[in-house]
Structure formats: structure tokens, C-alpha cells
Amino acid sequence: MKTLFFAFMLLLSLPAASARRLRRDSQLIRGSVPRRRLTGLVSYNFKSRRRTPRSDDDPTAMTPIGGNADGLPTCLLCVCLTGSVYCEEVSPDMTSVPALPKESAYLYARFNKIKKINKRDFADTVTLKRIDLTGNLIAEIEEDAFSKLTLLEELSLAENRLTKLPVLPTKLSSFNANRNLLKTKGVKANVFKKLTKLVNLYLADNMLEAVPTIPESVRILHLQNNNITDVTIDTFCKASDNYYLRPSLSEVRLDGNPVVLSKYPDSFTCMKVLPVGRYR
């Protein structure tokens, strides 16, 4: 009898246990949790999953700071590579020398509408080794515009409107002022004298009336298509030294000038080659 009694009580307790389990499990079903508690859970989950911002996620990190910001406008208009700035045929028109990033070594600003070079244009970029300003509208260069460029080796001012030359850096090895409006009075007698490393000197297609003083180091000299009317013994050689030789001067062009070179045979005795030009 006892066995039957316990079996009967067990059967009665099963439905009640099932009901309690159903109520407990219903809390895991979507929508069964009260709205207030659900909101709290969702909020907690979003907060717990939120990624801690890294320094490179900071929007301000996209904006260069310090010295980089100063060079940004130029590098938007031009192409800036490591140490080089290319500003050729810039649109809208570039009418002045652009502000250069620090430690720039090479500037190519050809075929723009730059009209003047000021002293301050290169004052903060003393690392420049090459400047090419070919094909601009430059009519004026302040006297000390290149004075701080002690590392400058190549300078091209070809195809501009210059009537005179400023003081040039002493380390230049190549200088090009072809196709300007230069006259002898605008080229000081000693403008090239201190350029002891100058190898290539291009002054063609100007209005020079005389050959300027040429440094001993020059190998290539282009003076064609000027208004040069005569040369003397001291133009290339030394009247006081009959044994003086100038073997480094290997190419001289005087063609397109009024001078008749055959009238001055003693003017080229120190040279290993005769100048190209008019002989009769």
C-alpha cells in the first residue's frame, strides 16, 4: 500500500514541476523579458562591445600638424616626392614661388607665370640643390634671393624676362639663362668670377654685347645669338702669359653674333678647340 501511495503522489507532483520549468524557461524566449529589463540588457551589451578608440582613430590625426601642415597647400597644387617638388604648368596660375616643404632638395616650377623672385622665397629652404624655373615670366630677382642657398648646384632661369642677374651661389656647377633679355650692363663683370665650380654656362639668345668673365672651371660655354661684336686676347686667354693654356674649355659657341672671329686669331691660342661662330 505504501508503494502505491508514493507512486500516486509522484504522479501528482509532475505537472506542477513542469509548470515551474516552463515559467523559468520562458524568460529565455525573445519578448518574454520585461521591456525595462530588456532595454537595460541591450544598453549593457552595446557598452560592453564598444571598442576603445585608438590614437589612429582620432579624426584630428588626419590633419598634419607642425611643419607638415605648412607644406600641405603646395603639395596639393604640386607633386611632392621625397626631397623633390614638381610644380609644372600649375592650374590655377602660379604667379610666385611656392612655399616649399622643409628639407626640399629639388624644385621644378617650369612653365608657370612666376613674375618675381623675392629674398624670402628661399630663405627657409637652404637644402636646395637644384632649381628649375624655366619658362616663367620672371623679370626681377632681388639681389640676395639666392644668398642662403650654399648647397645649390644647378640653377635654370631660361626663357624668362630677365634684364640683369643677381648674386649667384658660389657652389653652382650649371647655370642656364638662355632666352632672356640680358644685356652686358645687367651682368656684373664679376658675377661668375667666384663660381670656381661652374662647369656649364648657358647665356644664349640674349642681347649681350660682350663676353663676360668666364671662370677657369667652365667646360661648356654657350653665347650664340647675342650682340657680341668683338673679343680680345683676355676674353679667353691672358695677354700677359704666352704659355697660358685653357684645356678645360672644350665647347664655345659664338655663332649668331656680329663678331667675325677670324679677325682675332690670337684670342684663341690658349684653347684646344676653336669657338663655333662666324669666321668670314
Side-chain angles (χ1 to χ4, degrees):
M1 292 295 293
K2 290 183 179 181
T3 302
L4 291 174
F5 176 78
F6 283 115
F8 178 77
M9 294 299 294
L10 180 61
L11 290 173
L12 291 177
S13 64
L14 286 175
S18 298
R20 287 195 300 271
R21 188 181 302 111
L22 181 61
R23 286 195 300 270
R24 184 172 63 250
D25 293 343
S26 68
Q27 295 181 6
L28 302 178
I29 300 174
R30 184 177 180 181
S32 63
V33 182
R35 184 176 183 84
R36 183 176 59 185
R37 291 183 60 193
L38 178 63
T39 304
L41 286 173
V42 173
S43 176
Y44 172 79
N45 288 338
F46 272 104
K47 289 181 180 179
S48 63
R49 291 187 178 185
R50 184 174 297 169
R51 182 166 53 91
T52 303
R54 299 180 303 178
S55 59
D56 55 356
D57 291 332
D58 188 355
T60 60
M62 298 297 293
T63 304
I65 58 176
N68 293 334
D70 295 336
L72 184 60
T74 296
C75 293
L76 286 176
L77 291 172
C78 309
V79 176
C80 296
L81 301 176
T82 305
S84 301
V85 180
Y86 298 86
C87 302
E88 301 187 357
E89 297 182 279
V90 173
S91 179
D93 294 340
M94 178 177 287
T95 58
S96 60
V97 176
L100 300 176
K102 291 184 178 180
E103 299 183 1
S104 295
Y106 306 98
L107 169 63
Y108 302 90
R110 297 178 289 196
F111 309 112
N112 291 294
K113 295 185 178 180
I114 299 172
K115 299 178 180 179
K116 181 180 179 180
I117 299 178
N118 298 300
K119 182 178 180 180
R120 65 179 181 274
D121 288 338
F122 300 112
D124 298 325
T125 321
V126 296
T127 53
L128 283 167
K129 295 182 179 180
R130 180 185 300 164
I131 298 175
D132 192 342
L133 296 169
T134 299
N136 280 277
L137 304 175
I138 301 171
E140 181 182 356
I141 301 177
E142 291 187 359
E143 187 66 16
D144 296 326
F146 304 117
S147 61
K148 294 186 178 181
L149 302 182
T150 57
L151 301 178
L152 193 66
E153 298 176 357
E154 299 180 31
L155 175 60
S156 179
L157 300 170
E159 300 178 37
N160 280 283
R161 299 179 179 179
L162 293 172
T163 57
K164 63 178 182 178
L165 295 178
V167 176
L168 299 173
T170 57
K171 200 174 180 179
L172 279 182
S173 63
S174 180
F175 178 68
N176 189 343
N178 286 344
R179 298 187 179 182
N180 276 276
L181 304 173
L182 294 172
K183 293 184 177 182
T184 297
K185 65 179 181 180
V187 180
K188 295 180 180 179
N190 60 348
V191 68
F192 302 116
K193 188 175 182 180
K194 295 182 179 180
L195 308 187
T196 57
K197 296 183 178 181
L198 189 64
V199 175
N200 303 319
L201 179 56
Y202 304 102
L203 297 170
D205 296 282
N206 281 282
M207 295 184 287
L208 298 173
E209 297 90 1
V211 178
T213 302
I214 308 300
E216 296 280 343
S217 57
V218 171
R219 297 179 183 177
I220 298 176
L221 174 63
H222 285 188
L223 288 165
Q224 67 269 27
N225 302 323
N226 279 281
N227 292 326
I228 298 172
T229 55
D230 63 356
V231 293
T232 66
I233 296 178
D234 289 317
T235 300
F236 299 107
C237 304
K238 294 181 179 180
S240 59
D241 187 354
N242 293 329
Y243 298 97
Y244 174 75
L245 296 176
R246 197 165 192 169
S248 60
L249 195 57
S250 58
E251 181 180 325
V252 179
R253 289 193 59 181
L254 287 168
D255 47 308
N257 285 279
V259 61
V260 179
L261 298 178
S262 58
K263 293 182 178 180
Y264 310 95
D266 295 334
S267 298
F268 316 116
T269 55
C270 64
M271 300 166 58
K272 65 179 183 180
V273 296
L274 290 174
V276 176
R278 180 184 174 193
Y279 283 88
R280 62 178 181 177

